[in-house]
Amino acid sequence: MRLGGRLTAAIEVLEDVEARRRPVADALKDWGLSHRFAGSGDRAAIGNIVYDALRKKRSYGFRMGDDGAQALGFAAVIDGLAMAPQELAAALAGDRFAPELPNAGQLERFGAADLSAAPDAVAADLPDWLAGKLQASLGEDWVAEAAALAARPPLDLRVNTLKSGRDKVLKALAPFGAAPADLAPDGIRIAAIEGAGRHPNVQVEAGFQKGWFEVQDEGSQLAARLAAPMPGEQVLDLCAGAGGKALALSAAMENTGQIHAADADRQRLAPIHDRLKRAGCRNVQVRDPRDDMAGLFGAMDLVLVDAPCTGSGTWRRRPDAKWRLSEAALQKRMEEQDDVLDRAARFVRPGGRLAYVTCSLVAEENADRIAAFLARHGDKGFAVADAGARWNALLPQAEGRCRIGALAGGSVITMTPKLTGTDGFFFAALERAG
């Protein structure tokens, strides 16, 4: 396919996403199934246009003077492929599958528009109702922080130290430009794609099949490290999902002790079995949602709660989610977070720890939930640990690379794309008196 056909396809997908308010991944998949002639390169290029348009929907709309699918598609191509309007016109000339070009005034406006004159929510590429929440969470630099959530993300990997080492994996992935992650000691990063490029499918590589590495954002890797699992401990991963953090915990514990991986959703938990086998994790016991885990009450050294959340920290990867998010959905997530924290508290032994993690940058899902938990469980001996000190001890070279906030005599941390170079993550550690 030529650029014109790819752009037309991207506009069709954007119209589908807007009309049906459906996940972009589903819309792209359906388009591919109904246009089987499109090769993998075509599908990747179309996906780039669609994702870029959704990442910067408001700022592109402001610059174009139009936030319709066609205007956004053209903006994404001009910006994402670094094409001058005249270059774009030349590239589309004679292509019968190309959409009609915007008028000259619209293209001139796009190139000349100054986002500093735009409302903050537009410059931040956010729905209006979320602007105040991000400002409250991220402070005076919130617009730049939110804008960083609209950039293309890198591809991050975690070396599985049970089977390999970072140098070995780096050598195997050298053709893809793999480099050591900036902060995570077992992390590897493949830079964000440029132009019409695409990330490699690392899951078909021999190293992945052998269990040498897993796909995991660097922020998620750091959150697992900050939870401080120790060899020989009894650990409960209460919201294990597909098992990313459970695998990281297993490696940190050197395959000793025991990790109970649980999740209320059997479907989310299903992939964990193959992942554990491939990674060689022998100290993880997967708990079916129907299992009676009362025998674990008060017995866990560490309970990890990777809580259900709005996922605002992952908007680089799932930009459509921010346009579908509603205040009602946020309220529902907060209720779920309170519920899972209450359940988690029952498992923590005296002297044990509870680690709370979200991939959200909304304070109501983060520090506010910890404060509410303490208010409900003030008689259980829980106290907020100094997560900021833990960060500086674990990563002395990264002092200042996360946001540290005081809370109830301790501190909590927030990682962001702009400051930390990761997806957005919140981390808090609670300690229960012995």
Side-chain angles (χ1 to χ4, degrees):
M1 295 175 69
R2 295 170 60 186
L3 177 59
R6 290 173 171 181
L7 178 52
T8 295
I11 292 169
E12 290 176 7
V13 173
L14 288 167
E15 289 172 339
D16 183 24
V17 169
E18 178 66 24
R20 299 169 64 182
R21 294 187 63 80
R22 62 195 304 231
V24 65
D26 292 347
L28 284 166
K29 181 180 178 181
D30 285 352
W31 187 92
L33 290 173
S34 61
H35 298 79
R36 293 183 181 275
F37 60 84
S40 59
D42 294 323
R43 294 194 299 273
I46 293 164
N48 285 344
I49 297 169
V50 170
Y51 275 92
D52 284 345
L54 292 171
R55 288 184 183 107
K56 300 185 177 182
K57 179 179 178 179
R58 292 206 73 181
S59 61
Y60 282 168
F62 174 84
R63 293 171 65 189
M64 291 290 285
D66 179 358
D67 63 359
Q70 185 153 328
L72 294 177
F74 273 101
V77 168
I78 294 170
D79 201 38
L81 299 183
M83 299 182 76
Q86 58 269 28
E87 290 180 282
L88 178 60
L92 299 182
D95 186 345
R96 64 189 180 94
F97 296 106
E100 183 180 352
L101 275 169
N103 62 57
Q106 195 171 30
L107 293 175
E108 183 179 350
R109 174 192 169 107
F110 182 77
D114 181 4
L115 278 179
S116 67
D120 284 345
V122 172
D125 274 301
L126 291 175
D128 287 334
W129 75 271
L130 276 169
K133 296 185 182 300
L134 266 290
Q135 183 175 16
S137 300
L138 300 173
E140 62 181 27
D141 199 28
W142 76 273
V143 174
E145 287 278 16
L149 284 165
R152 291 181 176 183
L155 174 61
D156 288 348
L157 314 172
R158 179 186 58 80
V159 175
N160 176 21
T161 54
L162 298 176
K163 286 196 169 184
S164 191
R166 185 153 70 171
D167 288 346
K168 185 176 181 179
V169 177
L170 284 169
K171 183 177 180 180
L173 298 179
F176 307 125
D182 194 21
L183 301 177
D186 300 322
I188 288 177
R189 172 161 290 183
I190 297 173
I193 57 177
E194 297 181 357
R198 53 178 168 162
H199 276 136
N201 181 7
V202 294
Q203 294 185 344
V204 302
E205 295 297 308
F208 179 82
Q209 299 296 327
K210 294 175 183 178
W212 292 359
F213 63 87
E214 291 285 334
V215 177
Q216 186 177 23
D217 181 78
E218 188 178 12
S220 180
Q221 296 178 46
L222 293 171
R225 285 265 177 176
L226 289 164
M230 301 295 292
E233 287 192 322
Q234 292 291 312
V235 175
L236 171 61
D237 184 356
L238 190 56
C239 305
K245 288 187 177 66
L247 270 66
L249 296 173
S250 177
M253 294 166 62
E254 300 170 1
N255 241 344
T256 65
Q258 189 168 36
I259 300 168
H260 302 269
D263 198 283
D265 188 328
R266 186 177 290 101
Q267 186 171 347
R268 276 202 307 264
L269 198 59
I272 196 173
H273 300 280
D274 287 340
R275 296 182 75 184
L276 291 171
K277 183 178 180 180
R278 186 176 59 248
C281 298
R282 300 187 303 273
N283 64 337
V284 180
Q285 179 181 353
V286 181
R287 307 300 297 250
D288 186 271
R290 290 187 290 250
D291 284 355
D292 180 1
M293 296 198 297
L296 304 182
F297 288 170
M300 295 293 102
D301 298 298
L302 169 66
V303 178
L304 174 65
V305 174
D306 188 359
C309 67
T310 58
S312 56
T314 66
W315 281 341
R316 296 186 301 176
R317 305 177 196 281
R318 299 178 59 242
D320 52 312
K322 64 181 168 183
W323 309 115
R324 295 197 313 272
L325 183 61
S326 66
E327 293 189 74
L330 172 59
Q331 184 61 43
K332 181 180 179 182
R333 287 289 179 257
M334 291 162 56
E335 293 169 1
E336 292 169 345
Q337 289 150 6
D338 287 343
D339 177 66
V340 74
L341 277 167
D342 289 345
R343 287 191 287 120
R346 298 179 297 176
F347 295 97
V348 183
R349 69 167 176 80
R353 297 106 61 207
L354 193 164
Y356 178 76
V357 179
T358 74
C359 54
S360 172
L361 296 178
V362 178
E364 288 149 295
E365 298 185 87
N366 296 336
D368 290 2
R369 302 279 51 80
I370 297 298
F373 171 83
L374 292 173
R376 293 194 305 275
H377 296 275
D379 60 340
K380 302 287 178 39
F382 284 99
V384 179
D386 190 349
R390 189 175 297 189
W391 172 276
N392 291 332
L394 178 67
L395 302 164
Q397 80 282 15
E399 189 169 348
R401 292 285 303 277
C402 70
R403 293 173 174 269
I404 300 175
L407 179 64
S411 68
V412 296
I413 69 171
T414 303
M415 295 174 263
T416 67
K418 181 176 183 293
L419 190 60
T420 322
T422 65
D423 282 354
F425 278 92
F426 173 83
F427 177 87
L430 296 165
E431 297 173 342
R432 185 178 182 187

